[in-house]
Amino acid sequence: CRERAIRMLAILDRIGAPTIAKLGPEAAEVVSLFALHSYLDEMKHLLTLYETQFAQDPNSIYKQAIPPLADRIMIAEQRRQKFGTNWSVDKDGAWFLIPVEDFSQVNTLRATYDLEDLSKPRCLSIGAEEYPLRRGPAVATDQKELTDDEYAEYTRYMFRAT
């Protein structure tokens, strides 16, 4: 995935923001997945491209990419996420929402980017059998701070080796 992200960044250096007009809707969405699996500095660069394009024309870009990218960056910087897009599993296999800045406003913020209201995780590509999912809307008590070990696991591939 890292190799694809590097190739994607090289293309974006040539063409600019990953707009739907330049890439098509499917590819514009795929770029967002690569962005989430990039190094932190690359994520920040891509978030700037997305946010700048969104400010110019919200419908020209896959705007649903902005909240998870912003949240992932904020968590890596040990800040609270804004949109509630990141959940984790603790050592006992229990799902928890990584804390949100303002839980009471999270759904208003999510709506700006056409995201559904915050709900408990219901679909994942891996882990669903080992870590059963829950149903219903998320509640403030679903939040839990990451432990040091959970943070280390969350950020394991986000920083370049020195």
Side-chain angles (χ1 to χ4, degrees):
C1 196
R2 175 84 55 211
E3 299 301 321
R4 289 185 204 134
I6 290 168
R7 287 194 312 263
M8 174 204 61
L9 290 167
I11 292 167
L12 293 178
D13 282 344
R14 288 193 312 267
I15 68 168
T19 63
I20 293 169
K22 291 176 188 172
L23 302 174
E26 294 85 12
E29 187 173 346
V30 169
V31 167
S32 72
L33 296 174
F34 288 141
L36 288 168
H37 295 93
S38 300
Y39 289 119
L40 183 60
D41 58 328
E42 294 163 347
M43 282 189 246
K44 288 179 178 182
H45 174 71
L46 289 164
L47 181 59
T48 299
L49 290 175
Y50 275 103
E51 289 178 328
T52 301
Q53 189 64 40
F54 180 80
Q56 293 171 9
D57 180 2
N59 295 317
S60 67
I61 196 137
Y62 181 67
K63 60 186 161 200
Q64 293 86 349
I66 294 172
L69 193 52
D71 281 352
R72 193 153 167 79
I73 291 166
M74 293 172 83
I75 294 166
E77 293 176 340
Q78 297 186 322
R79 297 184 293 146
R80 290 176 176 251
Q81 60 180 327
K82 191 179 232 175
F83 303 97
T85 60
N86 285 257
W87 290 74
S88 194
V89 179
D90 68 19
K91 63 180 174 40
D92 298 319
W95 286 98
F96 66 92
L97 176 64
I98 300 171
V100 175
E101 283 180 346
D102 185 353
F103 192 85
S104 68
Q105 292 299 311
V106 73
N107 287 329
T108 301
L109 293 170
R110 290 170 68 94
T112 303
Y113 299 93
D114 294 342
L115 295 182
E116 296 176 357
D117 284 355
L118 182 56
S119 63
K120 295 178 182 354
R122 58 181 183 262
C123 179
L124 295 175
S125 59
I126 57 171
E129 290 180 18
E130 188 174 351
Y131 305 109
L133 301 176
R134 300 181 300 171
R135 298 194 188 288
V139 294
T141 56
D142 288 330
Q143 298 178 94
K144 179 181 101 47
E145 297 289 344
L146 290 169
T147 65
D148 290 343
D149 287 343
E150 291 163 347
Y151 174 78
E153 178 63 25
Y154 183 88
T155 60
R156 181 170 34 164
Y157 300 108
M158 295 173 71
F159 300 103
R160 294 178 194 278
T162 55

